[in-house]
Amino acid sequence: MESLYLIGIAVLALFAFVLAIVLFNFFGLWLRARIANAPVSLGKMVGMRLRKVPVGMIVDNRITAVKAGIEIPSDPLEAHYLAGGDVNQVILALIAADKAGISLDFNRACAIDLATKGTGKTVLEAVRTSINPKVIDVPNPAMGRVTIDGVAKDGIGAKVKARVTVRSHLDRFVGGATEETIIARVGEGIVSAIGSADSYKDVLENPDRISKAVLADVDVGDNIGAKLQSEQANADKNIAQAKAEVRRAAAVAVEQEMRAKTQEMRAKVVEAEALVPQAMADAFRSGNLGIMDYVRMKNVQADTSMRESIAGGDKPRTES
């Protein structure tokens, strides 16, 4: 009995020790979440610790979301963290979108966050540029250039500096153009507009023509990355079609060459056949061919022609 009593005390002591450790590590977070009306159970906190999820970050972000009027359980936050996402960015983006009246739910924000991972973009940046358009200098002074140079048709160059206002569209943010792509496309449009001007004076008198040319060439709201890929695919298709046309032309040339060679060989055959009567005449004159030999040869030819006619072959040939 005493041994059972000691075992029971040991078990209770162990349980109390574990409970003390849990309370010591998580009671503060649990109490903070409870006071903020964003409760997270101690069992979930222990599970997060076992899954190596930062409990404090999950609890703090849940408290932030609940205080902002967005109810998000701890489980989706933990799942997004385990998927490699940035929970802080997602919560801040949701709050910013909610305050600005932009439709953005948690799953969509997580999808944008995961899709833009490692690209230099963030879901928070997408929401911010949807609310406050971003101004981009073209060219970027950080790249060592302050103007874009173009030459008009009269041979005089013009230096242009532009500023582009960009507003993000959340539906097309993933896969859309980066800042570098926008600068490159706008610069290309500027050079094209200057190059199509008859004189540099036209550019100076009507700078708005550059804006119109750029807007006609670049729609910043479109998925420019996808457009570039489409243009590259069309270029590859045209190259493949050109190569196929070259191969077809080569095949036609070979076919024509073979036909010419066939005609040449037929001409040689006809030429050789034309020499037969002359050879026979020479044989008669030299005595190598007698009249009876000639009659037998004609009989053989006639017999052969008759057999071919009966068999349904070619029509009998007439000798010269």
Side-chain angles (χ1 to χ4, degrees):
M1 292 296 295
E2 291 183 0
S3 60
L4 293 176
Y5 179 74
L6 294 175
I7 291 173
I9 293 176
V11 170
L12 291 175
L14 179 61
F15 178 77
F17 178 74
V18 172
L19 181 61
I21 293 176
V22 171
L23 293 176
F24 178 79
N25 285 279
F26 303 115
F27 182 76
L29 291 173
W30 177 83
L31 183 60
R32 187 161 74 246
R34 175 64 66 177
I35 294 174
N37 291 325
V40 179
S41 66
L42 290 173
K44 288 186 176 181
M45 292 183 183
V46 173
M48 292 181 199
R49 177 62 58 86
L50 294 176
R51 289 185 290 270
K52 297 182 179 180
V53 176
V55 182
M57 183 194 68
I58 299 298
V59 172
D60 289 341
N61 277 283
R62 170 165 162 73
I63 292 173
T64 302
V66 170
K67 285 299 182 182
I70 304 174
E71 179 61 37
I72 301 177
S74 61
D75 289 341
L77 298 176
E78 182 183 356
H80 185 60
Y81 174 84
L82 292 173
D86 192 329
V87 177
N88 293 324
Q89 291 285 331
V90 170
I91 294 301
L92 293 177
L94 287 172
I95 295 174
D98 181 69
K99 300 304 180 185
I102 298 175
S103 177
L104 180 66
D105 57 28
F106 178 76
N107 291 330
R108 187 178 174 193
C110 290
I112 295 175
D113 180 60
L114 293 175
T116 56
K117 184 178 179 181
T119 63
K121 298 180 179 182
T122 63
V123 62
L124 182 58
E125 177 189 356
V127 174
R128 285 177 175 173
T129 51
S130 296
I131 300 171
N132 298 315
K134 185 178 181 180
V135 178
I136 300 175
D137 290 324
V138 180
N140 189 351
M143 300 177 66
R145 296 184 59 184
V146 295
T147 60
I148 293 178
D149 302 337
V151 180
K153 292 182 180 180
D154 60 359
I156 300 178
K159 296 180 180 292
V160 178
K161 182 178 180 180
R163 305 192 79 187
V164 181
T165 303
V166 180
R167 181 187 295 274
S168 296
H169 197 299
L170 293 179
D171 290 335
R172 292 178 288 186
F173 186 76
V174 178
T178 61
E179 183 173 334
E180 291 77 9
T181 304
I182 295 174
I183 292 174
R185 292 300 300 273
V186 172
E188 179 183 348
I190 291 174
V191 172
S192 176
I194 297 174
S196 63
D198 294 328
S199 171
Y200 77 98
K201 294 180 180 179
D202 296 337
V203 179
L204 297 179
E205 292 174 357
N206 301 298
D208 187 56
R209 67 180 296 166
I210 296 179
S211 301
K212 292 180 180 179
V214 171
L215 290 176
D217 182 65
V218 179
D219 184 359
V220 178
D222 285 344
N223 188 332
I224 300 178
K227 184 184 292 185
L228 289 175
Q229 293 178 356
S230 176
E231 292 176 355
Q232 183 62 46
N234 289 331
D236 294 340
K237 183 187 71 174
N238 293 333
I239 292 174
Q241 289 177 345
K243 290 181 178 179
E245 184 64 24
V246 170
R247 291 193 297 268
R248 189 191 69 82
V252 171
V254 171
E255 181 183 2
Q256 294 297 329
E257 182 179 357
M258 295 303 296
R259 288 182 179 179
K261 288 183 178 180
T262 302
Q263 293 296 330
E264 181 182 357
M265 296 305 295
R266 287 178 179 174
K268 290 182 179 180
V269 170
V270 172
E271 182 181 0
E273 290 179 348
L275 296 175
V276 171
Q278 182 180 354
M280 292 178 63
D282 292 340
F284 273 119
R285 284 193 293 270
S286 62
N288 294 326
L289 182 66
I291 188 64
M292 295 306 296
D293 295 328
Y294 180 73
V295 170
R296 282 194 294 270
M297 182 187 70
K298 297 298 290 183
N299 288 335
V300 171
Q301 289 180 345
D303 184 64
T304 302
S305 298
M306 180 183 67
R307 292 175 182 274
E308 289 179 350
S309 178
I310 294 174
D314 298 334
K315 294 182 179 179
R317 294 185 301 172
T318 57
E319 296 294 338
S320 301

